[in-house]
PDB file of all heavy atoms in Angstrom:
ATOM      1  N   ASP A 358      15.497  33.761  14.744  1.00  0.00           N
ATOM      2  CA  ASP A 358      14.293  34.289  14.097  1.00  0.00           C
ATOM      3  C   ASP A 358      13.766  35.440  14.997  1.00  0.00           C
ATOM      4  O   ASP A 358      13.743  35.284  16.214  1.00  0.00           O
ATOM      5  CB  ASP A 358      13.163  33.220  14.063  1.00  0.00           C
ATOM      6  CG  ASP A 358      13.532  32.053  13.165  1.00  0.00           C
ATOM      7  OD1 ASP A 358      14.374  32.221  12.241  1.00  0.00           O
ATOM      8  OD2 ASP A 358      13.016  30.960  13.397  1.00  0.00           O
ATOM      9  N   ASP A 359      13.400  36.562  14.347  1.00  0.00           N
ATOM     10  CA  ASP A 359      13.016  37.708  15.135  1.00  0.00           C
ATOM     11  C   ASP A 359      11.569  37.651  15.591  1.00  0.00           C
ATOM     12  O   ASP A 359      10.682  38.347  15.033  1.00  0.00           O
ATOM     13  CB  ASP A 359      13.260  38.998  14.338  1.00  0.00           C
ATOM     14  CG  ASP A 359      13.178  40.217  15.250  1.00  0.00           C
ATOM     15  OD1 ASP A 359      12.890  40.080  16.449  1.00  0.00           O
ATOM     16  OD2 ASP A 359      13.369  41.340  14.711  1.00  0.00           O
ATOM     17  N   LYS A 360      11.300  36.755  16.569  1.00  0.00           N
ATOM     18  CA  LYS A 360       9.965  36.703  17.150  1.00  0.00           C
ATOM     19  C   LYS A 360       9.982  37.740  18.277  1.00  0.00           C
ATOM     20  O   LYS A 360      10.602  37.510  19.326  1.00  0.00           O
ATOM     21  CB  LYS A 360       9.646  35.322  17.662  1.00  0.00           C
ATOM     22  CG  LYS A 360       9.592  34.298  16.588  1.00  0.00           C
ATOM     23  CD  LYS A 360       9.281  32.917  17.122  1.00  0.00           C
ATOM     24  CE  LYS A 360       9.252  31.903  15.979  1.00  0.00           C
ATOM     25  NZ  LYS A 360       9.910  30.632  16.399  1.00  0.00           N
ATOM     26  N   GLU A 361       9.275  38.861  18.055  1.00  0.00           N
ATOM     27  CA  GLU A 361       9.529  40.011  18.890  1.00  0.00           C
ATOM     28  C   GLU A 361       9.436  39.801  20.398  1.00  0.00           C
ATOM     29  O   GLU A 361      10.363  40.224  21.100  1.00  0.00           O
ATOM     30  CB  GLU A 361       8.605  41.160  18.451  1.00  0.00           C
ATOM     31  CG  GLU A 361       9.081  41.769  17.155  1.00  0.00           C
ATOM     32  CD  GLU A 361       8.500  43.135  16.866  1.00  0.00           C
ATOM     33  OE1 GLU A 361       8.133  43.819  17.837  1.00  0.00           O
ATOM     34  OE2 GLU A 361       8.387  43.488  15.693  1.00  0.00           O
ATOM     35  N   GLU A 362       8.369  39.164  20.819  1.00  0.00           N
ATOM     36  CA  GLU A 362       8.192  38.974  22.275  1.00  0.00           C
ATOM     37  C   GLU A 362       9.355  38.159  22.901  1.00  0.00           C
ATOM     38  O   GLU A 362       9.882  38.500  23.919  1.00  0.00           O
ATOM     39  CB  GLU A 362       6.902  38.255  22.576  1.00  0.00           C
ATOM     40  CG  GLU A 362       5.800  39.164  23.080  1.00  0.00           C
ATOM     41  CD  GLU A 362       4.508  38.404  23.226  1.00  0.00           C
ATOM     42  OE1 GLU A 362       4.459  37.394  23.982  1.00  0.00           O
ATOM     43  OE2 GLU A 362       3.546  38.803  22.539  1.00  0.00           O
ATOM     44  N   LYS A 363       9.654  37.091  22.193  1.00  0.00           N
ATOM     45  CA  LYS A 363      10.720  36.206  22.685  1.00  0.00           C
ATOM     46  C   LYS A 363      12.062  36.887  22.728  1.00  0.00           C
ATOM     47  O   LYS A 363      12.833  36.730  23.629  1.00  0.00           O
ATOM     48  CB  LYS A 363      10.789  34.939  21.826  1.00  0.00           C
ATOM     49  CG  LYS A 363       9.636  34.025  21.978  1.00  0.00           C
ATOM     50  CD  LYS A 363       9.860  32.672  21.367  1.00  0.00           C
ATOM     51  CE  LYS A 363       8.644  31.780  21.655  1.00  0.00           C
ATOM     52  NZ  LYS A 363       8.953  30.373  21.701  1.00  0.00           N
ATOM     53  N   ILE A 364      12.325  37.653  21.678  1.00  0.00           N
ATOM     54  CA  ILE A 364      13.637  38.359  21.574  1.00  0.00           C
ATOM     55  C   ILE A 364      13.732  39.411  22.694  1.00  0.00           C
ATOM     56  O   ILE A 364      14.808  39.569  23.323  1.00  0.00           O
ATOM     57  CB  ILE A 364      13.806  38.981  20.196  1.00  0.00           C
ATOM     58  CG1 ILE A 364      13.897  37.872  19.125  1.00  0.00           C
ATOM     59  CG2 ILE A 364      15.048  39.863  20.131  1.00  0.00           C
ATOM     60  CD1 ILE A 364      15.039  36.884  19.303  1.00  0.00           C
ATOM     61  N   ALA A 365      12.677  40.133  22.929  1.00  0.00           N
ATOM     62  CA  ALA A 365      12.675  41.142  23.988  1.00  0.00           C
ATOM     63  C   ALA A 365      12.944  40.465  25.342  1.00  0.00           C
ATOM     64  O   ALA A 365      13.762  40.964  26.146  1.00  0.00           O
ATOM     65  CB  ALA A 365      11.337  41.882  24.037  1.00  0.00           C
ATOM     66  N   GLN A 366      12.285  39.358  25.561  1.00  0.00           N
ATOM     67  CA  GLN A 366      12.462  38.601  26.807  1.00  0.00           C
ATOM     68  C   GLN A 366      13.936  38.123  26.920  1.00  0.00           C
ATOM     69  O   GLN A 366      14.543  38.266  27.997  1.00  0.00           O
ATOM     70  CB  GLN A 366      11.499  37.392  26.769  1.00  0.00           C
ATOM     71  CG  GLN A 366      11.676  36.381  27.900  1.00  0.00           C
ATOM     72  CD  GLN A 366      10.840  36.815  29.112  1.00  0.00           C
ATOM     73  OE1 GLN A 366       9.690  37.130  28.956  1.00  0.00           O
ATOM     74  NE2 GLN A 366      11.454  36.846  30.272  1.00  0.00           N
ATOM     75  N   LEU A 367      14.431  37.572  25.819  1.00  0.00           N
ATOM     76  CA  LEU A 367      15.777  37.071  25.831  1.00  0.00           C
ATOM     77  C   LEU A 367      16.777  38.175  26.132  1.00  0.00           C
ATOM     78  O   LEU A 367      17.660  38.013  26.995  1.00  0.00           O
ATOM     79  CB  LEU A 367      16.108  36.443  24.443  1.00  0.00           C
ATOM     80  CG  LEU A 367      17.533  36.030  24.164  1.00  0.00           C
ATOM     81  CD1 LEU A 367      17.995  34.952  25.143  1.00  0.00           C
ATOM     82  CD2 LEU A 367      17.670  35.496  22.723  1.00  0.00           C
ATOM     83  N   ALA A 368      16.638  39.332  25.471  1.00  0.00           N
ATOM     84  CA  ALA A 368      17.577  40.436  25.702  1.00  0.00           C
ATOM     85  C   ALA A 368      17.521  40.872  27.151  1.00  0.00           C
ATOM     86  O   ALA A 368      18.546  41.141  27.772  1.00  0.00           O
ATOM     87  CB  ALA A 368      17.218  41.590  24.726  1.00  0.00           C
ATOM     88  N   SER A 369      16.316  40.941  27.674  1.00  0.00           N
ATOM     89  CA  SER A 369      16.164  41.412  29.032  1.00  0.00           C
ATOM     90  C   SER A 369      16.782  40.384  30.048  1.00  0.00           C
ATOM     91  O   SER A 369      17.523  40.767  30.947  1.00  0.00           O
ATOM     92  CB  SER A 369      14.690  41.697  29.307  1.00  0.00           C
ATOM     93  OG  SER A 369      14.331  41.320  30.587  1.00  0.00           O
ATOM     94  N   ASP A 370      16.472  39.108  29.867  1.00  0.00           N
ATOM     95  CA  ASP A 370      16.995  38.095  30.764  1.00  0.00           C
ATOM     96  C   ASP A 370      18.539  38.042  30.694  1.00  0.00           C
ATOM     97  O   ASP A 370      19.225  37.896  31.712  1.00  0.00           O
ATOM     98  CB  ASP A 370      16.405  36.706  30.484  1.00  0.00           C
ATOM     99  CG  ASP A 370      14.930  36.635  30.844  1.00  0.00           C
ATOM    100  OD1 ASP A 370      14.402  37.642  31.351  1.00  0.00           O
ATOM    101  OD2 ASP A 370      14.310  35.564  30.607  1.00  0.00           O
ATOM    102  N   ALA A 371      19.046  38.076  29.465  1.00  0.00           N
ATOM    103  CA  ALA A 371      20.464  37.894  29.289  1.00  0.00           C
ATOM    104  C   ALA A 371      21.261  39.113  29.750  1.00  0.00           C
ATOM    105  O   ALA A 371      22.454  39.009  30.046  1.00  0.00           O
ATOM    106  CB  ALA A 371      20.801  37.631  27.785  1.00  0.00           C
ATOM    107  N   SER A 372      20.610  40.282  29.855  1.00  0.00           N
ATOM    108  CA  SER A 372      21.334  41.458  30.259  1.00  0.00           C
ATOM    109  C   SER A 372      21.769  41.410  31.750  1.00  0.00           C
ATOM    110  O   SER A 372      22.549  42.227  32.179  1.00  0.00           O
ATOM    111  CB  SER A 372      20.472  42.721  30.023  1.00  0.00           C
ATOM    112  OG  SER A 372      19.328  42.688  30.820  1.00  0.00           O
ATOM    113  N   GLU A 373      21.246  40.414  32.481  1.00  0.00           N
ATOM    114  CA  GLU A 373      21.715  40.182  33.836  1.00  0.00           C
ATOM    115  C   GLU A 373      23.154  39.629  33.824  1.00  0.00           C
ATOM    116  O   GLU A 373      23.905  39.858  34.789  1.00  0.00           O
ATOM    117  CB  GLU A 373      20.852  39.154  34.572  1.00  0.00           C
ATOM    118  CG  GLU A 373      19.362  39.396  34.419  1.00  0.00           C
ATOM    119  CD  GLU A 373      18.768  39.986  35.693  1.00  0.00           C
ATOM    120  OE1 GLU A 373      19.151  39.508  36.771  1.00  0.00           O
ATOM    121  OE2 GLU A 373      17.954  40.930  35.605  1.00  0.00           O
ATOM    122  N   ILE A 374      23.477  38.918  32.759  1.00  0.00           N
ATOM    123  CA  ILE A 374      24.806  38.263  32.687  1.00  0.00           C
ATOM    124  C   ILE A 374      25.741  39.012  31.756  1.00  0.00           C
ATOM    125  O   ILE A 374      26.957  39.005  31.956  1.00  0.00           O
ATOM    126  CB  ILE A 374      24.632  36.811  32.185  1.00  0.00           C
ATOM    127  CG1 ILE A 374      23.357  36.168  32.703  1.00  0.00           C
ATOM    128  CG2 ILE A 374      25.872  35.968  32.586  1.00  0.00           C
ATOM    129  CD1 ILE A 374      23.014  34.880  32.015  1.00  0.00           C
ATOM    130  N   PHE A 375      25.204  39.524  30.653  1.00  0.00           N
ATOM    131  CA  PHE A 375      26.026  40.097  29.576  1.00  0.00           C
ATOM    132  C   PHE A 375      25.607  41.520  29.245  1.00  0.00           C
ATOM    133  O   PHE A 375      24.491  41.936  29.571  1.00  0.00           O
ATOM    134  CB  PHE A 375      25.860  39.311  28.294  1.00  0.00           C
ATOM    135  CG  PHE A 375      26.270  37.861  28.385  1.00  0.00           C
ATOM    136  CD1 PHE A 375      25.256  36.870  28.471  1.00  0.00           C
ATOM    137  CD2 PHE A 375      27.564  37.445  28.311  1.00  0.00           C
ATOM    138  CE1 PHE A 375      25.589  35.533  28.498  1.00  0.00           C
ATOM    139  CE2 PHE A 375      27.911  36.117  28.346  1.00  0.00           C
ATOM    140  CZ  PHE A 375      26.931  35.136  28.451  1.00  0.00           C
ATOM    141  N   ASP A 376      26.513  42.251  28.567  1.00  0.00           N
ATOM    142  CA  ASP A 376      26.072  43.405  27.827  1.00  0.00           C
ATOM    143  C   ASP A 376      25.464  42.923  26.525  1.00  0.00           C
ATOM    144  O   ASP A 376      26.087  42.099  25.831  1.00  0.00           O
ATOM    145  CB  ASP A 376      27.265  44.327  27.479  1.00  0.00           C
ATOM    146  CG  ASP A 376      27.714  45.128  28.722  1.00  0.00           C
ATOM    147  OD1 ASP A 376      26.848  45.393  29.565  1.00  0.00           O
ATOM    148  OD2 ASP A 376      28.920  45.445  28.779  1.00  0.00           O
TER     149      ASP A 376
END
Side-chain angles (χ1 to χ4, degrees):
D358 295 335
D359 192 359
K360 295 181 182 138
E361 284 198 28
E362 254 174 61
K363 290 192 176 207
I364 295 299
Q366 173 87 49
L367 172 61
S369 143
D370 292 358
S372 65
E373 312 257 318
I374 325 167
F375 300 102
D376 284 331

